Amino acid sequence: LLRTEFHLWSFDIFMFARVSQGRPLRFIGWEAFCRGSCFSEFAIDPGKAAAFFCEVEKLYLTEEGTPYHNNLHAADVTQTLHALIVGGSIDKFFDPMDILGLTLAGVIHDAGHDGRTNSFHVNLQDNLALTYNDKNVLESFHLSQGFKLLANQQNTNFLQGLPIEQIKVLRREVISMVLATDLASH
């Protein structure tokens, strides 16, 4: 399935979730990095990337925990981004950093999502709303979860081999992309 259909719009993420025993994101993230030339274009440690994909998937609830913003959704978004870029033949408009950033943004864009909305958290004035000052509450939280996983755990920091300037550019791009998923910002 990955070998023959990963680049297609018609990729069956639900079937793949069953084949991967409910853990599709770790495999989809890996495949998108491989096919997007992330390992060949950047000094990314494959072992740390594999550990990152496993750990970031644990931050997501499964379909039983939340019906939409779950690990299946993150895998679907990541694969769809890849299909759009490669299958849609628009890859010539993206440099390698863009591909890495889009893939990472797809993987982490809903990390830790609890299935509720920004409005719910703001109206409740809970810890998330207070931490992120009522603005892009969940999106800021998702970014924080993803970047903390990279920064705080040596075994998952696959960016460690990149020059600091590349990390800064990547971080800026990923932050911009994930914040843009808050429809209230449009």
Side-chain angles (χ1 to χ4, degrees), residues 61-82:
L61 296 174
T62 62
E63 285 183 281
E64 293 77 34
T66 185
Y68 186 70
H69 296 100
N70 52 47
N71 65 328
L72 178 64
H73 167 69
D76 187 34
V77 167
T78 303
Q79 185 277 327
T80 299
L81 284 168
H82 176 79

Side-chain angles (χ1 to χ4, degrees), residues 31-163:
E31 192 69 17
F33 263 39
C34 289
R35 292 190 184 213
S37 300
C38 297
F39 293 115
S40 60
E41 291 288 339
F42 299 99
I44 292 176
D45 181 321
K48 290 181 179 190
F52 175 82
F53 293 130
C54 288
E55 292 300 313
V56 77
E57 186 154 34
K58 292 177 186 176
L59 296 174
Y60 282 92
L61 296 174
T62 62
E63 285 183 281
E64 293 77 34
T66 185
Y68 186 70
H69 296 100
N70 52 47
N71 65 328
L72 178 64
H73 167 69
D76 187 34
V77 167
T78 303
Q79 185 277 327
T80 299
L81 284 168
H82 176 79
L84 174 67
I85 295 165
V86 175
S89 299
I90 60 170
D91 54 333
K92 59 184 166 260
F93 299 110
F94 295 91
D95 66 26
M97 182 63 72
D98 295 329
I99 303 293
L100 177 61
L102 280 163
T103 305
L104 181 57
V107 168
I108 71 169
H109 85 280
D110 274 336
H113 205 295
D114 62 359
R116 294 186 164 80
T117 65
N118 283 332
S119 294
F120 174 87
H121 291 287
V122 170
N123 288 332
L124 193 60
Q125 283 295 284
D126 65 7
N127 191 49
L128 282 177
L130 295 174
T131 298
Y132 298 109
N133 299 310
D134 299 344
K135 186 163 176 57
N136 307 113
V137 173
L138 287 167
E139 294 75 19
S140 295
F141 176 67
H142 306 320
L143 285 160
S144 174
Q145 294 297 292
F147 283 115
K148 281 180 182 177
L149 187 56
L150 287 167
N152 296 341
Q153 293 188 32
Q154 190 76 351
N155 68 318
T156 59
N157 188 358
F158 65 83
L159 299 178
Q160 200 167 29
L162 273 63

